[in-house]
Amino acid sequence: MRNVVGQIASKEDFYYRKKEIGTIMRNLDAKANIQIAAPRRVGKSSILYYLKDNPSKGYINLYIEVESSRSKNDYYRKIFREILKSDVISSTKKIAEQFKSNKNGFLGRLKGIKLAGLGFDFTEPEAIDYEEELTNLLLGIDLGEDKLILMIDEFPEVMLNIVEDCNGDIVEAKKFLQSNRELRNNPKLHGRIQFIYTGSNSLNLTAANLESTSLINDLTAISVNPLSADEAKDLILEILKTYKYTISQEQLDYMVSLVEWNIPFYFQLLIQEIINQIEPEDIITNKIIDESFFKIMDQRNDHHFEHYVRRLKRVFNEKELRFVKIFLNQLAQNEKISKGDAQNMSHGILTESETKKVLEALRYDGYVINQSETGNLEYKFNSPILKQWWYNHEC
């Protein structure tokens, strides 16, 4: 298992998430449409890649990344073309032969493609409504006994792009969300076509900001939790073994306690700095681990963390962002902040209910965690790694 930092881990580099994958498959078997609801950096996209590479019998799992789409039509065109370009769809299901037979009325309505040998050429002879085009493709395609699972990554980002291009107006983004609901609930597609949505931004929060949570309430939400302590240790050992490093149980326990929030990304960053510091024959000591921890904050690693700042500006309005900066800057300088103190910080900026919504969004998106050891709700950064980077760069 190689140390894949900040990228999608696939094939032999993927740490198997038995619980999450089992939950996804049970819900797909129940014909559910799914949103993977989890904070950033926990490995959502890597799970989708695993499903793509390891489809269960009777499933065709197609991964589609849509972050660059900036309109409803762009989004549907992307999905339409990715389906037809997929080797699994075009070869094993002989889609080209279905077109040639010209027996299917839905496929005959498609305007954006033409047959070219055993495959397709994409054409746009006129303005094409790709929502209609994709619907006709999905209605007409013959999958035999198989189900097609469309795994849509960065789905919330499309809504944010649409709002941005409409100068903050949410009308078109709401229409986009509505059209997706109508497509996945088309009774003629039920049991044949299913969707999994995820992304680095929260779908729940994005829909709430569009005043449209009712448009995603048909989705089954599946969480991806941090690794257990044993899983985290196993991940560390597997990666170190690849590079012929060894670590004692004492130092292994220390690494896990230092990171606190057990997501693969943080351990991969720490391992990267350890490997950069010492040779395989050297001993990994607490001192080496501590030095590696602080090297994570070097400027050369800023690209791994700057999105934590950028996404705040996209998701929160001016008043919310003002409070968020005050709150996170204070939290970076303290171990914890109580719920009451957080509410006091927002006084004159946000209402109590608005503050609660923002704090919940920060928790959901992997900035902070809740603790209530004393019976009173308190907030802290999810990991000393993010806390230290925020203190160094934003305070």
Side-chain angles (χ1 to χ4, degrees):
M1 181 183 293
R2 294 174 301 176
N3 195 36
V4 180
V5 182
Q7 302 176 51
I8 295 175
S10 62
K11 301 188 185 302
E12 67 273 7
D13 300 322
F14 173 69
Y15 187 81
Y16 185 66
R17 310 293 290 271
K18 180 179 179 180
K19 178 182 177 182
E20 287 81 3
I21 290 169
T23 302
I24 291 170
M25 289 311 305
R26 283 194 298 274
N27 280 278
L28 288 177
D29 288 344
K31 301 182 180 180
N33 291 302
I34 294 168
Q35 66 149 316
I36 300 181
R40 64 188 57 248
R41 298 296 197 183
V42 300
K44 301 185 293 293
S45 297
S46 295
I47 288 173
L48 295 187
Y49 252 64
Y50 174 84
L51 295 172
K52 174 181 73 72
D53 293 334
N54 300 274
S56 297
K57 184 178 180 180
Y59 285 90
I60 301 170
N61 299 334
L62 186 57
Y63 174 88
I64 306 173
E65 195 273 308
V66 295
E67 184 175 8
S68 63
S69 300
R70 304 198 70 86
S71 70
K72 180 161 70 87
N73 214 44
D74 283 347
Y75 167 81
Y76 286 119
R77 176 170 53 206
K78 174 78 171 180
I79 298 174
F80 175 82
R81 292 189 172 188
E82 289 300 319
I83 291 173
L84 290 172
K85 288 192 296 184
S86 165
D87 290 340
V88 177
I89 291 290
S90 61
S91 60
T92 62
K93 296 302 166 186
K94 299 181 174 58
I95 298 302
E97 293 180 12
Q98 295 180 36
F99 277 81
K100 288 178 181 178
S101 69
N102 201 28
K103 293 179 180 179
N104 191 300
F106 289 108
L107 298 184
R109 299 174 191 174
L110 299 180
K111 305 172 184 176
I113 57 172
K114 64 179 181 180
L115 285 170
L118 297 177
F120 302 100
D121 278 343
F122 295 102
T123 62
E124 295 195 31
E126 56 183 283
I128 294 175
D129 180 346
Y130 274 98
E131 180 184 358
E132 180 182 351
E133 196 87 340
L134 176 62
T135 302
N136 284 330
L137 174 63
L138 295 179
L139 288 171
I141 197 170
D142 181 5
L143 300 172
E145 298 298 317
D146 292 343
K147 297 179 183 180
L148 174 61
I149 310 301
L150 297 174
M151 303 185 294
I152 312 298
D153 203 358
E154 300 299 352
F155 179 71
E157 195 71 19
V158 182
M159 287 178 277
L160 294 173
N161 289 341
I162 292 172
V163 172
E164 186 175 85
D165 288 352
C166 292
N167 298 314
D169 188 282
I170 65 174
V171 172
E172 291 303 316
K174 292 176 73 170
K175 291 179 181 178
F176 168 77
L177 204 53
Q178 177 69 51
S179 72
N180 275 272
R181 181 186 174 96
E182 291 172 358
L183 177 63
R184 64 179 175 263
N185 287 298
N186 187 317
K188 294 181 180 179
L189 299 180
H190 183 67
R192 298 176 53 242
I193 313 292
Q194 290 166 257
F195 292 81
I196 301 177
Y197 303 96
T198 193
S200 54
N201 288 301
S202 162
L203 176 54
N204 289 333
L205 176 60
T206 305
N209 287 341
L210 298 177
E211 303 168 357
S212 300
T213 53
S214 63
L215 297 179
I216 60 170
N217 63 9
D218 60 306
L219 297 175
T220 298
I222 295 176
S223 62
V224 178
N225 296 315
L227 302 174
S228 68
D230 287 342
E231 288 173 329
K233 293 172 188 177
D234 186 46
L235 172 70
I236 294 167
L237 290 172
E238 286 295 317
I239 294 174
L240 289 176
K241 182 171 68 175
T242 299
Y243 301 97
K244 305 189 185 307
Y245 285 77
T246 58
I247 186 171
S248 70
Q249 186 63 48
E250 179 184 350
Q251 274 62 57
L252 192 59
D253 292 339
Y254 182 65
M255 279 185 69
V256 174
S257 68
L258 186 63
V259 169
E260 291 188 13
W261 204 50
N262 296 339
I263 61 172
F265 170 64
Y266 286 149
F267 291 114
Q268 290 159 344
L269 277 173
L270 189 53
I271 291 169
Q272 174 180 263
E273 296 304 330
I274 291 172
I275 291 174
N276 287 344
Q277 278 204 84
I278 63 174
E279 299 300 321
E281 60 270 17
D282 295 331
I283 297 174
I284 299 176
T285 63
N286 285 6
K287 181 174 182 292
I288 291 296
I289 295 171
D290 287 338
E291 290 173 354
S292 299
F293 174 89
F294 285 103
K295 284 184 178 295
I296 290 173
M297 316 309 156
D298 285 354
Q299 187 176 18
R300 59 189 165 81
N301 286 323
D302 281 357
H303 63 288
H304 289 307
F305 295 94
E306 286 173 341
H307 64 89
Y308 281 101
V309 180
R310 289 196 305 270
R311 69 91 52 203
L312 295 175
K313 298 175 182 177
R314 297 201 73 191
V315 171
F316 295 116
N317 62 38
E318 186 176 346
K319 290 195 306 178
E320 292 168 339
L321 184 59
R322 180 182 166 196
F323 163 67
V324 166
K325 288 181 176 179
I326 294 170
F327 173 72
L328 291 179
N329 287 352
Q330 285 295 313
L331 191 58
Q333 299 172 66
N334 295 275
E335 179 63 22
K336 301 172 185 176
I337 288 179
S338 70
K339 177 184 177 181
D341 286 341
Q343 289 284 357
N344 289 337
M345 289 177 194
S346 70
H347 183 70
I349 305 173
L350 301 173
T351 66
E352 184 175 339
S353 62
E354 288 171 338
T355 304
K356 181 180 178 182
K357 186 188 83 168
V358 169
L359 291 171
E360 183 62 17
L362 292 174
R363 184 192 67 80
Y364 178 86
D365 274 358
Y367 292 82
V368 301
I369 56 175
N370 295 349
Q371 289 191 326
S372 55
E373 297 173 356
T374 62
N376 297 315
L377 184 61
E378 296 176 314
Y379 299 94
K380 63 180 292 185
F381 269 99
N382 63 29
S383 171
I385 293 175
L386 181 57
K387 177 181 179 179
Q388 189 64 48
W389 184 89
W390 197 276
Y391 179 82
N392 290 355
H393 294 79
E394 295 299 315
C395 289

